[in-house]
Amino acid sequence: MRGLFRPAALWTATAVAAALLAVPSTPAFADTLLSQGKTATASSSENAGTPASAAVDGNAGTRWSSAATDAQWLQVDLGASTSVNKVVLNWEAAYASGYKVQLSTNGTTWTDLKTVTGGDGGIDTWDVTGTGRYVRMQGVTRATGYGYSLWEFQVFGPDGGSNPGEACGTTNAALNKTSSASSIQGAGLPASAAFDGDNGTRWASLAADPQWVQVDLGSAQTLCKIDLRWEAAYASAFKLQGSTNGTTWTDLKTVTGSTGGVQSHDVTGSARYVRMLGSARGTGYGYSLWEFAVYTTSDDPGPEIPGGGPLGPNVHVFDPSMSSATIQSQLDAVFTQQESAQFGTGRHAFLFKPGTYNVNAKVGFYTSIIGLGQNPDDVTLNGVTVDAGWFNGNATQNFWRSTENLSVQPPGGTNQWAVSQAAPFRRMHIKGALNLAPTGYGWASGGYIADSKIDGAVGPYSQQQWYTRDSSVGGWVNGVWNMVFSGVQGAPATNFLDQSYTTLENTPISREKPYLYVDGGGAYRVFVPALRTNARGVSWANGSTPGTSLPLGQFFVAKPGDSAATINAALGQGLHLLLTPGIYHLSQPINVTRANTVVLGLGLATIIPGGGSTAVKVADVDGVKLAGFLVDAGTQKSDVLIEVGPAGSSADHAANPTTLQDVFVRIGGAFAGNATTSVVVNSDDVIIDHTWLWRGDHGEGIGWNVNTAETGLIVNGDDVLATGLFVEHYRKYDVEWYGERGRTIFFQNEKAYDPPNQAAYMNGTSKGWAAYKVGPAVNTHEGWGLGSYVYFNVDPTIEVENGFEAPVKPGVKFHSLLTVSLGGNGRINHVINGVGGPAFGTATIPSKLVSYP
């Protein structure tokens, strides 16, 4: 227990006083302080001299401090439910490095307004959006050995008497906009890093005065606030300036005596270009900013974006009153268009309202067959069928299609679903058997079943690999190379030595994909299934799947042609996102910043990012659900296509993880797309449930130096689980895993087909690149049913030294590993870390390890 007096506290008070001179804590002019003098409570107080009330008394010389444990909180009762738009936390020396700002209407159920990781103390000013009576700081991680301590905890709301059109916006107008600087310290510290929304990247200048960094907002806008997050190399004196032409500048704010840190400056003026002009450095280095955010206002902010609405022309809705002939003709007409349109632009979703339909839905590319009941047995069809006649009986390219949430009563007793990657089969009830092979038993290359019940046996036949999760089957006929099951009733026992089976009794953590349905009144809703632990069997075995139902009115129903700005405004307004079938050309990322946001695509809705931007960015918040869409890399190379959590994310999401389900990435094939890395996961506790990350090996825009892509998946977050991980053809490592306690259940990989020769395919002195690399600092990692194959069709003499790389540590374990040389086109010398025999030769015989080490 600390005493009341500490020299550090006196030093901090002095520093805070200096900081208050340079860093105004007063929010924009239309804000009203709501919390001062209101009733405050806390989980604990260090002693009688540091009560909760001291943080809301308006006196920066008194403070609240807690007991020295992590899960501590401070809350204030505003007296009535009211709109909240800003929270300011003035930390004492004992600050939180990780915490949440939360809102509640009743003091019991809390909604996250802001999740903070990597906090550095000082004064934190956060723009938030919400309505409630209670606001609290929920501590997650302490930065010191003491508790948490706040000089002041201030909650603001918009002035009820002000013109709403004058309010300062909460959207960063500078995010990912074109930027420039007077100089940069090095290539890794560009101007753009200060405007990318990532607190782990920064701009830094040369060590000279003056220096500047500026952003082009794209059009003249009314400015109201500028936030700066300084790195250690800060400006002690600088100006914030605006310009309409980028040449003639007007001072918006002059700052002297600055001490760096996180700053928020109210400004007034109109400008297209905004810059920070540094005149005096606070250190011997240059100027360096983690982030530079600009906020704007308008006399006419525009109408509120409505939720709900029609689903668009490519969503076809059927009900039992329609004739079977009419429904069948519509299904067949679209199938004729989509059967062989592997890289076409058509996107379709067929929705069946509850009832029985005497039709067979043949499913082509970019087509989804969906039941609109709350449970699979609410909708029954004769068949949901995939064959491979378009490709002469070869099913290895039957990608990008789906079926979910209905039952099938096949007249002949067996339903055919001959697919390969990116063809999810979810929440299905097959009242008979299921055949996963094409007519004639031609090649097929792997797929995915989840939350489904197959009364009869499943016959993979020619399927090379397959993953089935949380389901029930009446039997499993055979396996070729790699058949993996987790939580599947009726699955064969593990036998990887003599056969191809790897079976886990349960799936450790799972959450089913959100799905569209109609309620009893005929209204569309989206059901969000609950998290399951140690799951086995279907989620609907004992009635409806547990979870939460959301009305469609809480979703922005997007259509092709909607801009990223509109989508982000809707998300910022608090809506979820439904992407109707089509192709979305977006000039900036979709930014998901609110906990529990659902982003759901229909009919393989496809996002193409422009200008080298990221397609989707997710903040380090709880419970985001990304599902059912395809990202097609643009022609200008993106660094990352999907980012889950910014660099340095560290918040604990174990109770409510983010999920990626049926989220696919394609680089090349439709055209020459480019991206360095397809998916980066920085947040902890993420579930990746069925993804195919594919650098194209056929189609348009294909070639070693054409559709360049280095890595498919990088995992930096801890406690990440992948169930059904398909990653193929990247030029270096397909998967790199640096987070602790990662787990993968089923991995399917083919290395890049097209290295021109061995010299072009070297990892230092090692031949080739492993498919799956676990970082050397990782202490705990585990995988089940992982396979990697080579087919070097440009130079068949190329070798890969190891299919897998991992540190040799007691906590790093693998079960059922295999490598394959397809027809002898290339060689993998070892399965993992120099262990396991080579895979080579035209017989295409796998090299296996039952366990490692």
Side-chain angles (χ1 to χ4, degrees), residues 12 27 35 136 155 224 263 279 524 579 612 686 707-708 746 799:
T12 304
S35 55
R136 76 175 177 183
V155 180
C224 56
Q263 303 181 2
S279 56
Y524 287 109
L579 296 166
V686 172
N707 59 325
T708 55
F746 183 88
E799 300 178 14

Side-chain angles (χ1 to χ4, degrees), residues 418-571:
V419 299
S420 289
Q421 291 82 21
F425 189 93
R426 291 183 180 270
R427 290 179 62 81
M428 296 291 291
H429 183 190
I430 305 300
K431 300 176 179 179
L434 182 63
N435 174 15
L436 302 179
T439 299
Y441 303 100
W443 293 333
S445 186
Y448 172 94
I449 293 172
D451 201 26
S452 294
K453 180 180 181 182
I454 295 92
D455 293 345
V458 178
Y461 304 112
S462 55
Q463 281 286 355
Q464 295 162 346
Q465 60 272 315
W466 197 277
Y467 175 55
T468 308
R469 176 182 65 71
D470 300 352
S471 294
S472 171
V473 299
W476 197 270
V477 172
N478 72 309
V480 178
W481 292 333
N482 191 28
M483 301 282 140
V484 180
F485 311 84
S486 66
V488 178
Q489 297 167 336
T494 295
N495 184 344
F496 194 69
L497 181 63
D498 300 321
Q499 297 180 329
S500 59
Y501 301 139
T502 304
T503 300
L504 286 73
E505 186 74 8
N506 305 95
T507 304
I509 308 169
S510 60
R511 178 196 280 131
E512 299 309 326
K513 175 186 170 186
Y515 60 92
L516 192 68
Y517 77 104
V518 291
D519 63 18
Y524 287 109
R525 302 182 71 90
V526 173
F527 194 82
V528 183
L531 193 69
R532 304 175 75 191
T533 57
N534 295 317
R536 181 171 175 81
V538 297
S539 67
W540 41 278
N542 299 313
S544 297
T545 298
T548 303
S549 179
L550 303 173
L552 192 64
Q554 292 183 10
F555 284 76
F556 175 59
V557 180
K559 314 271 191 317
D562 285 332
S563 68
T566 299
I567 291 171
N568 286 331
L571 289 170

Side-chain angles (χ1 to χ4, degrees), residues 40-125:
T41 55
S43 53
S44 66
S45 294
E46 181 187 350
N47 53 52
T50 58
S53 60
V56 295
D57 61 0
N59 184 350
T62 63
R63 63 186 176 92
W64 161 74
S65 61
S66 75
T69 59
D70 283 328
Q72 300 292 324
W73 51 262
L74 170 78
Q75 75 182 45
V76 59
D77 178 358
L78 302 179
S81 185
T82 187
S83 178
V84 173
N85 66 359
K86 193 179 297 290
V87 177
V88 178
L89 301 96
N90 185 349
W91 292 101
E92 194 252 358
Y95 63 93
S97 59
Y99 64 93
K100 295 181 178 182
V101 176
Q102 298 177 314
L103 181 70
S104 175
T105 57
N106 55 15
T108 303
T109 303
W110 296 89
T111 299
D112 293 346
L113 296 176
K114 183 76 178 180
T115 298
V116 179
T117 60
D120 54 3
I123 298 176
D124 290 344
T125 301

Side-chain angles (χ1 to χ4, degrees), residues 787-833:
S788 177
Y789 318 144
V790 293
Y791 180 73
F792 296 122
N793 61 5
V794 176
D795 181 357
T797 68
I798 293 174
E799 300 178 14
V800 175
E801 193 60 28
N802 289 288
F804 302 87
E805 292 180 12
V808 182
K809 298 180 181 179
V812 179
K813 305 173 185 178
F814 291 92
H815 317 271
S816 304
L817 290 171
L818 76 153
T819 55
V820 177
S821 173
L822 299 172
N825 292 278
R827 174 183 172 116
I828 304 178
N829 292 326
H830 302 285
V831 177
I832 182 170
N833 293 352

Side-chain angles (χ1 to χ4, degrees), residues 395-437:
T396 58
Q397 292 183 24
N398 277 354
F399 313 136
W400 303 307
R401 64 199 72 199
S402 67
T403 185
E404 62 184 293
N405 200 36
L406 52 84
S407 65
V408 174
Q409 183 73 67
T414 300
N415 190 77
Q416 185 178 35
W417 185 256
V419 299
S420 289
Q421 291 82 21
F425 189 93
R426 291 183 180 270
R427 290 179 62 81
M428 296 291 291
H429 183 190
I430 305 300
K431 300 176 179 179
L434 182 63
N435 174 15
L436 302 179

Side-chain angles (χ1 to χ4, degrees), residues 700-713:
E700 298 295 326
I702 300 299
W704 184 247
N705 293 313
V706 179
N707 59 325
T708 55
E710 309 307 311
T711 308
L713 171 67

Side-chain angles (χ1 to χ4, degrees), residues 27-34 82-86 156-168:
F29 53 84
D31 296 341
T32 300
L33 179 59
L34 305 173
T82 187
S83 178
V84 173
N85 66 359
K86 193 179 297 290
F156 294 83
D159 186 341
S162 66
N163 180 350
E166 296 176 349
C168 196

